Amino acid sequence: MTLVKHELRQGRTAFFIWLASIGFLLAICIFLFPEMKGQMDDVSDMFASMGSFSAAFGMDRLNFGTLIGFYSVECGNILGLGGAFYASLCAVAILSKEEKDKTAEFLLTHPVSRKRIITEKLIAVLIQITAMNILIYALSVGSIAAIGETIPWKEISLMHLAYYLLQMELAGVCFGISAFLRHSSIGIGLGIAIITYFMNLIANLTDSTEFLKYITPFGYCEGADIVEEGSLDITLVAIGAAIGICGIIVAYLKYAKKDIH
């Protein structure tokens, strides 16, 4: 597991920066809720009457006067975009950086197979994403307790689980893409996260674009759906898992035969 430890050491600065950024913004939103709670009923009515804009973010189906309604939109966007960015960036460079940094020749001269290299790099990605989500979840629950609100355990847990699965799916896709790249890949990782986010917004606008929910991982992270149904959409989760696994399989097939310079 030497390579796993090496990747974790290399990625620890980015890990703590993203953890601090997401955690700070999340905590600020939660601590603002008591100050805004009394004004949220009027805000809910206003958003409910804003048509397509409200529908795109699911705000027409949520009560901002409740913690979970406020959390679903305000904190959900932070968790969704922040987590998606981190997972995509973490995975999309993990295989390509050896060629970019000119360390591939050194790595491949060691008595280690390419399959093991891919596996250990994948494990490092999964550890970082999992650790990030556990710490963010703990911070979220702790912040809610600190403001004296009752913790909606089921909804909060389902929401964080959905965003964790989203990050895993994006990581799998970006991991597969990484096997094809030779140079900088930051733009690709960010692009995939942003595109999938906006695909979900478009899917919420009309019935004719609803099929996009079967493509974007943000489809099963919709806070309004989770609060209303009390569960995740198993069909969308299964499709997302299959897409992420396909990305990982592609990485193994491509990297095993890749002409690495």
Side-chain angles (χ1 to χ4, degrees), residues 78-93:
I78 295 171
L79 288 169
L81 281 173
F85 287 158
Y86 176 71
S88 298
L89 293 175
C90 188
V92 80

Side-chain angles (χ1 to χ4, degrees), residues 118-240:
I118 299 171
T119 301
E120 294 205 22
K121 283 178 175 285
L122 177 62
I123 290 172
V125 171
L126 300 183
I127 288 175
Q128 291 174 88
I129 294 174
T130 302
M132 169 81 72
N133 280 270
I134 291 173
L135 293 171
I136 290 295
Y137 179 76
L139 175 64
S140 175
V141 170
S143 297
I144 294 173
I147 63 174
E149 292 286 332
T150 300
I151 301 172
W153 286 104
K154 182 179 180 180
E155 291 86 354
I156 289 290
S157 298
L158 283 173
M159 209 169 295
H160 279 262
L161 173 61
Y163 285 117
Y164 174 64
L165 295 175
L166 172 148
Q167 292 166 36
M168 286 297 190
E169 180 183 343
L170 288 178
V173 171
C174 290
F175 191 75
I177 292 173
S178 182
F180 291 85
L181 303 177
R182 297 185 185 277
H183 302 292
S184 178
S185 50
I186 293 177
I188 296 175
L190 291 176
I192 290 173
I194 293 171
I195 288 171
T196 53
Y197 176 76
F198 279 103
M199 283 173 64
N200 185 59
L201 297 185
I202 295 170
N204 287 336
L205 294 177
T206 65
D207 291 339
S208 61
T209 57
E210 194 173 359
F211 71 93
L212 291 174
K213 283 190 174 291
Y214 293 94
I215 303 173
T216 170
F218 284 91
Y220 52 78
C221 296
E222 196 70 54
D225 292 336
I226 293 173
V227 173
E228 286 181 349
E229 301 297 329
S231 63
L232 302 183
D233 189 316
I234 300 302
T235 301
L236 295 181
V237 170
I239 292 172

Side-chain angles (χ1 to χ4, degrees), residues 1-3 111-121:
M1 302 295 280
T2 303
L3 191 54
V112 57
S113 67
R114 292 196 182 191
K115 181 179 178 181
R116 182 175 173 183
I117 291 174
I118 299 171
T119 301
E120 294 205 22
K121 283 178 175 285

